Amino acid sequence: GAVVSQHPSRVICKSGTSVKIECRSLDFQATTMFWYRQFPKQSLMLMATSNEGSKATYEQGVEKDKFLINHASLTLSTLTVTSAHPEDSSFYICSAAGTGEYNGQYFGAGTRLSVL
Amino acid sequence: AQKVTQAQTEISVVEKEDVTLDCVYETRDTTYYLFWYKQPPSGELVFLIRRNSFDEQNEISGRYSWNFQKSTSSFNFTITASQVVDSAVYFCALFSPYSGAGSYQLTFGKGTKLSVIP
């Protein structure tokens, strides 16, 4: 149980395009989903927290217009990197938190974004 | 404020050696949860253990064991008879329900990169 699927695992795009990353909790309902960014050889940096049906809460320094988060259902959250630039290239990881027996944070496999 | 310190940035051991990864945490809350995650080169974070602040019993799972000591605010992780497949970055993390940080928001340490040499 507690499987989180993140798609795509890798994406290469041209500068100026937008990229959407999906995060799904497959076997539980996620009351909260988190989006992280990880630079090489560094720890995870929390970008935003989203609860189903409400606006995401962004961490300080994260541009909400650049990183659009939608949490439309209890099993799906999306992160859209708008007008991507090379400096947005990074490893993005989502996680989902449930309740009851799924009380905890469960991570997706991550998406490696390369912007040319 | 909460903080997790993993002082060891990188560790290298020879296969079959035992290795301990250190984790020291800071929190003002009396109720909190501690976690260890493994991040292999593929990038996915693998959940290893969750321990709540009221349970100081040490835990053993196969070659893995955890030593939780509230007196020293430490939650150390030991791998016995290490194997090449144990090579990964290991993160220690902390969650306090009453920290105001939001639902299950984790505070991560910087991670320890473990390399097990054949």
Side-chain angles (χ1 to χ4, degrees):
Chain A
V3 177
V4 176
S5 171
Q6 186 173 342
H7 179 81
S9 58
R10 186 178 183 99
V11 58
I12 301 172
C13 68
K14 291 182 179 179
S15 186
T17 60
S18 294
V19 174
K20 180 185 280 190
I21 303 170
E22 288 190 351
C23 182
R24 293 180 185 272
S25 57
L26 297 186
D27 50 3
F28 68 101
Q29 292 187 327
T31 51
T32 305
M33 287 188 171
F34 304 87
W35 288 95
Y36 295 85
R37 183 172 181 176
Q38 186 179 31
F39 292 103
K41 298 185 179 183
Q42 293 191 24
S43 188
L44 284 73
M45 181 190 79
L46 180 66
M47 298 174 66
T49 303
S50 74
N51 293 293
E52 182 261 343
S54 61
K55 289 184 179 180
T57 302
Y58 290 81
E59 295 299 300
Q60 195 171 11
V62 178
E63 300 175 60
K64 59 180 68 177
D65 294 330
K66 161 70 92 174
F67 300 101
L68 300 179
I69 292 171
N70 184 287
H71 193 162
S73 76
L74 284 172
T75 59
L76 173 65
S77 177
T78 60
L79 167 68
T80 301
V81 183
T82 61
S83 187
H85 290 285
E87 58 266 28
D88 298 324
S89 298
S90 192
F91 191 60
Y92 294 88
I93 306 175
C94 76
S95 70
T99 57
E101 65 178 301
Y102 296 110
N103 194 12
Q105 221 181 102
Y106 303 92
F107 289 83
T111 297
R112 193 163 301 281
L113 171 63
S114 300
V115 185
L116 305 177
Chain B
Q2 298 182 111
K3 187 178 178 182
V4 175
T5 301
Q6 293 179 256
Q8 305 148 310
T9 306
E10 293 192 40
I11 300 176
S12 289
V13 297
V14 177
E15 201 171 20
K16 296 185 183 178
E17 286 184 349
D18 299 347
V19 58
T20 295
L21 309 181
D22 298 333
C23 174
V24 174
Y25 62 92
E26 295 176 29
T27 179
R28 295 178 183 175
D29 297 315
T30 56
T31 300
Y32 52 90
Y33 297 83
L34 295 161
F35 301 79
W36 275 96
Y37 290 91
K38 174 182 179 180
Q39 187 178 39
S42 60
E44 181 176 2
L45 273 168
V46 179
F47 168 83
L48 296 178
I49 190 171
R50 178 181 70 199
R51 172 66 75 227
N52 74 57
S53 54
F54 299 107
D55 182 2
E56 283 194 76
Q57 276 193 333
N58 291 330
E59 174 133 354
I60 298 175
S61 176
R63 296 184 296 107
Y64 295 170
S65 62
W66 290 269
N67 185 340
F68 178 28
Q69 302 233 344
K70 288 179 75 171
S71 60
T72 55
S73 296
S74 65
F75 187 43
N76 296 337
F77 172 32
T78 297
I79 302 175
T80 303
S82 59
Q83 300 176 1
V84 174
V85 293
D86 296 327
S87 296
V89 179
Y90 291 86
F91 291 97
C92 181
L94 166 70
F95 165 65
S96 294
Y98 306 110
S99 68
S103 174
Y104 245 97
Q105 186 170 315
L106 295 172
T107 299
F108 282 90
K110 292 186 182 298
T112 298
K113 181 179 180 181
L114 173 64
S115 298
V116 181
I117 304 164

